[in-house]
Amino acid sequence: MTTTPFRTLDETITVAGQIRPSDVVEAAAAGFRLVINNRPEGEEPGQPAAAEIEAAATAAGLSYVAIPVDHSGMRRDQVDAMKAALEGASGPALAFCRSGTRSTFLWAFARAELGDSPADLIAKAEAQGYNVRPLFG
């Protein structure tokens, strides 16, 4: 069982803090089809390498995409990449970063551009302990 809590925002995406290769196996068993890595390489000592997570995803039959977001904030190309990943997913996605916050923010930006109402996005994020209100203020 994972030690990283998975937090479901809606039927298309769940977010988490840093995952390990064993979490990818659990994610596949739970029906996820895509892993989205929003964590920059080497952000923290002991963090699994992106290549390890990608290899675990591939071995488990999952798609994998890396959209790393560092401390400088989100850029237009990252939001566009998240939107493309969500639109192209063949099923539910598991997105992760250090705490799940960056993944939630990218999801909210992408979904807003796809037409979801800010009120709905705020409610979904808050239900899982994330505050995206400042994004829409």
Side-chain angles (χ1 to χ4, degrees), residues 61-125:
L62 302 180
S63 297
Y64 173 90
V65 64
I67 311 168
V69 178
D70 65 20
H71 67 280
S72 64
M74 287 169 213
R75 300 181 317 265
R76 166 89 269 157
D77 63 308
Q78 293 163 324
V79 174
D80 290 345
M82 184 66 146
K83 190 166 62 171
L86 295 173
E87 287 183 306
S90 63
L94 173 63
F96 74 93
C97 56
R98 189 187 61 76
S99 68
T101 301
R102 285 172 279 188
S103 296
T104 300
F105 281 20
L106 268 178
W107 162 82
F109 278 134
R111 290 306 316 172
E113 288 191 4
L114 291 168
D116 291 14
S117 81
D120 287 344
L121 297 169
I122 289 166
K124 289 175 180 181

Side-chain angles (χ1 to χ4, degrees), residues 1-2 4 6 14-16 19-36 53 56-57 60-63 91-96:
M1 176 180 257
T2 183
T4 302
F6 290 179
T14 294
V15 297
I19 63 171
R20 305 235 169 259
S22 60
D23 296 321
V24 174
V25 173
E26 184 177 326
F32 291 97
R33 304 303 312 142
L34 168 65
V35 174
I36 303 171
I53 302 296
L62 302 180
S63 297
L94 173 63
F96 74 93

Side-chain angles (χ1 to χ4, degrees), residues 3-60:
T3 57
T4 302
F6 290 179
R7 297 177 181 189
T8 301
L9 298 174
D10 68 20
E11 66 281 353
T12 67
I13 192 164
T14 294
V15 297
Q18 177 66 57
I19 63 171
R20 305 235 169 259
S22 60
D23 296 321
V24 174
V25 173
E26 184 177 326
F32 291 97
R33 304 303 312 142
L34 168 65
V35 174
I36 303 171
N37 180 352
N38 297 131
R39 190 142 196 219
E41 196 71 39
E43 184 176 43
E44 189 172 73
Q47 163 188 341
E52 291 177 68
I53 302 296
E54 183 176 13
T58 300

